[in-house]
C-alpha cells in the first residue's frame, strides 16, 4: 500500500510539472510571436483552461498527499500512552513532545537491557569461576576429553597422580596417557562406543620406575546414536596403599593358614630330627676310620641345619605374645648395626644410617630380630663383584589419616634388585632366591611389622638399581 501511495504522489508531481512546463511554453510562444496572438488565442486559452482545471485540483491534493504521513504520525501520537495536547499547544509541539517521550522510554529500556546483559555476563563469569573452583577442589583427579580425544580439563590432582605437565590440555589421549595404556584404551572405548567403566583398577608407570595403582571411573558424555560420545570424563584415585594393604591382608591370611597347617608337621619333623641328631652323634663316636668320621660329621651338620630351619619355622608359625613397651627405634637400629659390624666388614659393605627416628611401642626383641633380618638380607643381596657396596637406612616421620603419625624406615641396597615376578612372593615362607637361604627371615620380618600394626613392603629402588624395603610403624605420640 505504501509503495502504491508513493507512486501516486510521484505521478501527481509529474503532472504538475508538465502543466507548468506547458504554461511556460505557451507564454514563451506569446512573447516571441506577438503578431500571431489573434490566431493562436483560442489554442492558448484552451491550454490555459486545461492547465487551470487540472493544476488547481492537483495543487490542492498534493499537499494533502504530502502531509498524510504527518497526519498519521499525529494520530499515532494521540493514541500513544502519553499526555494528550491541550488547547494551548499546537500539533507540532505535541508531536515533538511525544517523540521525546518515546525516545526517553526507548533510552530507559536500552539502559535496562544493558544492565540485564551486564548482569547475565557477570552471572556467566561467576558460574564459570565457580565451576573452575569446583574442579580445582575435587580431591580426585579429573580429566575431560572432547569427541576427538583431546584433553580439555585437567585438574591439579590428576597432574600429580599421573603425572602430567602444565601443557596437558589439548593433547591427544594416546599421547597424554602413554605411560598408562590400560587407561588410554578405556577412554578410547568410552569415546567410540560409549562404554562405561566403574571403579576399575589400572597401573601407571611413574618416571622413577615405580608402578602406581589407580582406581578409575570413565564415563561417556552425551552418548549419541551409534554409541559415539561427545566426550569422556575420567576420575582418578590413588589406591596404591589400598592395594598394598589388600595384598598384605591376603598374605597374612595365607601365612596364618600355612602356619596352622604346618605347625604340627614341623613339630613332628623336629622330633624326628632330634632322634637323627642323637644317632648321628652316636655314629660319630663309633666310627674308627677317616671316611666314617667325615660321613658322620657331614650327617651331623645336615641334621643341625634342618633342625635350625625347623626351629625358625616353628618360631614363625607359633609366634609368642608381644611384650610391648616404648622403645627408641634409633637405639634398636644402632644395636643392629653394632651386631652386624663384623658381617658388613667381612663383605666390604658400608652401612649408612641417616634421617629422623622416633619412639615406638613395640616388642623390642622381635623388632630387633626383624631389623637384623632386613639388614642381613640387604647385605647378602649385593654381589661380590659389585662396585658400589652400600646399605642405607633412612628414617622419617609421616602423617597418615587422622592424627596418626608413622615411623618410616627405608632400607635400600645397591644390589641387582628384585625380579618383578618375585615381588609378590618375597614374603612367603621358604621362598628364597639365595642358594643358602631358608626363606624365613623376610617372612618373619613381615609378620612382626603386621603384628605391630604396621606394614612392610618391597620394591625396586628405580633406575639406580637395588631393592628397597619400607617398614612403617605407628609412632608413640
Amino acid at each position: 500500500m505504501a509503495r502504491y501511495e508513493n507512486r501516486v504522489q510521484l505521478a501527481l508531481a509529474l503532472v504538475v510539472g508538465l502543466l507548468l512546463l506547458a504554461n511556460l511554453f505557451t507564454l514563451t510562444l506569446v512573447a516571441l510571436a506577438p503578431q500571431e496572438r489573434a490566431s493562436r488565442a483560442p489554442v492558448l486559452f484552451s491550454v490555459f483552461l486545461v492547465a487551470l482545471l487540472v493544476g488547481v485540483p492537483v495543487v490542492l491534493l498534493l499537499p494533502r498527499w504530502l502531509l498524510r504521513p504527518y497526519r498519521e504520525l499525529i494520530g499515532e501520537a494521540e493514541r500513544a500512552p502519553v499526555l494528550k495536547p491541550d488547547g494551548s499547544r499546537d500539533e507540532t509541539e505535541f508531536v515533538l513532545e511525544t517523540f521525546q517521550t518515546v525516545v526517553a522510554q526507548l533510552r530507559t529500556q536500552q539502559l535496562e537491557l544493558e544492565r540485564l546483559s551486564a548482569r547475565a555476563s557477570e552471572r556467566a563469569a561467576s558460574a564459570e569461576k565457580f565451576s573452575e573452583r569446583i574442579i580445582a577442589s575435587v580431591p580426585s583427579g579429573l580429566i575431560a576429553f572432547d569427541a576427538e580425544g583431546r584433553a580439555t580439563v585437567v585438574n591439579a590432582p590428576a597432574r600429580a597422580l599421573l603425572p602430567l605437565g602444565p601443557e596437558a590440555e589439548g593433547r591427544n589421549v594416546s599421547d597424554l596417557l602413554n605411560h598408562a595404556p590400560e587407561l588410554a584404551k578405556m577412554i578410547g572405548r568410552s569415546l567410540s562406543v560409549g562404554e562405561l567403566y566403574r571403579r576399575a583398577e589400572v597401573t601407571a608407570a611413574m618416571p622413577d620406575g615405580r608402578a602406581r595403582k589407580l582406581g578409575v571411573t570413565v564415563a561417556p558424555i552425551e552418548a549419541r546414536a551409534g554409541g559415539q560420545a561427545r566426550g569422556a570424563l575420567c576420575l582418578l584415585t590413588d589406591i596404591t596403599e589400598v592395594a598394598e594393604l589388600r595384598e598384605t591382608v591376603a598374605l597374612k591370611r595365607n601365612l596364618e593358614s600355612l602356619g596352622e597347617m604346618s605347625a604340627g608337621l614341623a613339630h613332628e619333623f623336629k622330633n624326628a630330627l632330634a632322634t637323627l641328631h642323637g644317632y648321628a652323634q652316636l655314629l660319630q663316636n663309633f666310627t674308627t676310620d677317616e671316611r666314617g668320621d667325615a660321613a658322620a660329621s657331614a650327617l651331623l651338620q645336615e641334621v643341625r641345619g634342618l633342625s635350625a630351619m625347623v626351629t625358625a619355622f616353628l618360631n614363625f608359625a607359633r609366634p609368642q605374645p608381644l611384650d610391648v613397651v616404648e622403645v627408641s627405634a634409633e637405639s634398636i637400629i644402632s644395636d643392629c648395626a653394632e651386631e652386624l659390624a663384623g658381617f658388613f666388614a667381612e663383605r666390604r659393605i658400608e652401612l649408612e644410617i641417616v634421617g629422623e627416628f622416633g619412639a615406638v611401642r613395640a616388642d623390642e626383641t622381635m623388632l630387633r630380630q626383624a631389623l637384623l633380618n632386613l639388614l642381613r638380607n640387604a647385605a647378602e643381596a649385593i654381589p661380590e663383584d659389585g662396585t658400589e657396596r652400600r646399605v642405607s637406612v633412612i628414617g622419617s616421620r609421616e602423617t597418615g589419616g587422622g592424627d596418626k603419625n608413622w615411623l618410616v624406615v627405608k632400607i635400600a641396597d645397591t644390589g641387582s634388585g628384585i625380579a618383578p615376578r618375585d615381588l609378590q612372593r618375597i614374603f612367603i615362607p621358604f621362598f628364597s632366591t639365595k642358594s643358602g637361604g631358608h626363606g624365613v627371615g623376610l617372612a618373619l620380618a613381615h609378620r612382626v611389622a603386621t603384628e605391630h600394626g604396621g606394614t612392610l613392603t618391597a620394591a625396586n629402588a628405580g633406575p639406580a638399581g637395588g631393592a628397597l624395603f619400607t617398614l612403617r610403624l605407628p609412632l608413640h605420640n
Side-chain angles (χ1 to χ4, degrees):
M1 187 68 182
R3 294 182 58 188
Y4 176 75
E5 291 178 352
N6 292 335
R7 291 177 180 178
V8 171
Q9 293 175 4
L10 180 60
L12 290 176
L14 290 176
V15 170
V16 172
L18 291 175
L19 290 175
L20 292 176
L21 289 176
N23 289 331
L24 181 62
F25 179 73
T26 304
L27 293 176
T28 303
L29 291 178
V30 172
L32 294 177
Q35 65 278 5
E36 299 179 1
R37 291 177 182 175
S39 60
R40 297 182 180 178
V43 177
L44 294 176
F45 179 74
S46 299
V47 172
F48 175 76
L49 184 60
V50 171
L52 182 63
L53 293 176
V54 176
V56 171
V58 170
V59 171
L60 294 176
L61 291 175
L62 182 60
R64 186 176 183 85
W65 282 100
L66 295 177
L67 294 176
R68 183 174 181 179
Y70 178 72
R71 289 197 306 273
E72 292 178 352
L73 184 60
I74 293 175
E76 293 293 334
E78 290 176 349
R79 289 191 293 272
V82 295
L83 293 177
K84 294 190 175 181
D86 53 20
S88 61
R89 293 180 297 175
D90 58 9
E91 293 180 348
T92 304
E93 293 178 353
F94 172 64
V95 170
L96 290 177
E97 291 183 4
T98 303
F99 269 107
Q100 291 174 357
T101 304
V102 172
V103 169
Q105 292 176 353
L106 291 176
R107 179 59 179 170
T108 303
Q109 293 178 356
Q110 181 183 4
L111 293 176
E112 180 67 15
L113 287 175
E114 291 177 355
R115 187 183 66 82
L116 293 176
S117 177
R119 187 176 179 183
S121 300
E122 183 180 353
R123 287 184 177 179
S126 177
E128 184 177 357
K129 291 180 180 179
F130 184 67
S131 299
E132 292 176 356
R133 287 195 296 268
I134 290 177
I135 292 173
S137 61
V138 171
S140 301
L142 186 147
I143 308 177
F145 296 89
D146 60 13
E148 285 73 27
R150 292 188 298 267
T152 56
V153 176
V154 182
N155 67 350
R159 297 178 192 275
L161 283 175
L162 285 174
L164 303 173
E167 70 285 353
E169 285 84 354
R171 294 174 58 185
N172 189 271
V173 58
S174 58
D175 179 40
L176 186 67
L177 303 176
N178 56 357
H179 54 294
E182 297 175 77
L183 180 56
K185 185 177 179 180
M186 289 181 181
I187 295 172
R189 287 190 56 82
S190 182
L191 290 172
S192 59
V193 298
E195 189 167 349
L196 174 64
Y197 297 89
R198 296 179 183 272
R199 295 183 293 274
E201 294 186 12
V202 299
T203 303
M206 296 294 102
D208 57 1
R210 295 182 296 109
R212 175 174 287 171
K213 288 282 187 179
L214 299 176
V216 301
T217 296
V218 181
I221 300 175
E222 295 184 16
R224 294 174 287 189
Q228 190 175 5
R230 294 181 181 273
L233 190 66
C234 177
L235 295 176
L236 307 168
T237 305
D238 188 1
I239 59 171
T240 304
E241 293 186 3
V242 176
E244 291 176 353
L245 182 60
R246 186 170 54 201
E247 293 172 359
T248 301
V249 172
L251 179 60
K252 181 181 178 181
R253 291 175 179 173
N254 292 336
L255 294 180
E256 289 175 352
S257 301
L258 179 62
E260 293 174 359
M261 178 183 64
S262 57
L265 183 61
H267 184 71
E268 296 299 327
F269 282 170
K270 188 173 180 63
N271 293 335
L273 288 173
T275 303
L276 288 175
H277 187 271
Y279 280 120
Q281 286 182 326
L282 184 62
L283 181 62
Q284 191 177 30
N285 293 332
F286 286 164
T287 55
T288 56
D289 56 353
E290 294 182 358
R291 294 180 62 185
D293 289 339
S297 298
L299 177 61
L300 185 61
Q301 185 70 21
E302 291 295 329
V303 170
R304 286 173 178 172
L306 288 174
S307 179
M309 182 177 65
V310 173
T311 301
F313 181 74
L314 282 175
N315 291 334
F316 175 81
R318 291 179 177 176
Q320 300 297 321
L322 298 178
D323 183 15
V324 178
V325 295
E326 182 178 345
V327 296
S328 170
E330 186 174 6
S331 176
I332 293 178
I333 292 174
S334 299
D335 293 344
C336 293
E338 184 177 353
E339 183 175 342
L340 294 174
F343 178 74
F344 275 75
E346 181 183 353
R347 298 182 65 88
R348 307 182 315 279
I349 296 175
E350 175 189 1
L351 179 59
E352 177 185 34
I353 301 176
V354 295
E356 179 184 6
F357 303 90
V360 295
R361 290 188 58 81
D363 187 312
E364 185 174 0
T365 302
M366 296 185 66
L367 183 57
R368 178 183 287 106
Q369 185 63 43
L371 289 171
L372 283 172
N373 290 338
L374 290 173
L375 292 174
R376 186 183 296 274
N377 182 79
E380 291 175 349
I382 300 176
E384 290 292 336
D385 56 351
T387 56
E388 187 177 3
R389 310 179 65 79
R390 184 178 67 257
V391 173
S392 300
V393 181
I394 307 168
S396 62
R397 298 187 180 206
E398 183 180 287
T399 301
D403 297 330
K404 198 168 186 179
N405 297 321
W406 298 86
L407 168 66
V408 181
V409 180
K410 296 183 178 182
I411 300 176
D413 61 63
T414 56
S416 56
I418 306 172
R421 64 179 181 275
D422 296 336
L423 281 173
Q424 304 299 325
R425 301 182 294 168
I426 196 83
F427 297 119
I428 296 177
F430 298 105
F431 174 79
S432 177
T433 58
K434 295 175 289 189
S435 57
H438 295 157
V440 180
L442 290 179
L444 181 61
H446 186 275
R447 196 202 67 199
V448 169
T450 303
E451 290 181 347
H452 283 80
T455 60
L456 177 62
T457 58
N460 288 311
L468 175 65
F469 288 84
T470 303
L471 173 65
R472 299 174 78 249
L473 296 173
L475 276 172
H476 179 58
N477 297 326

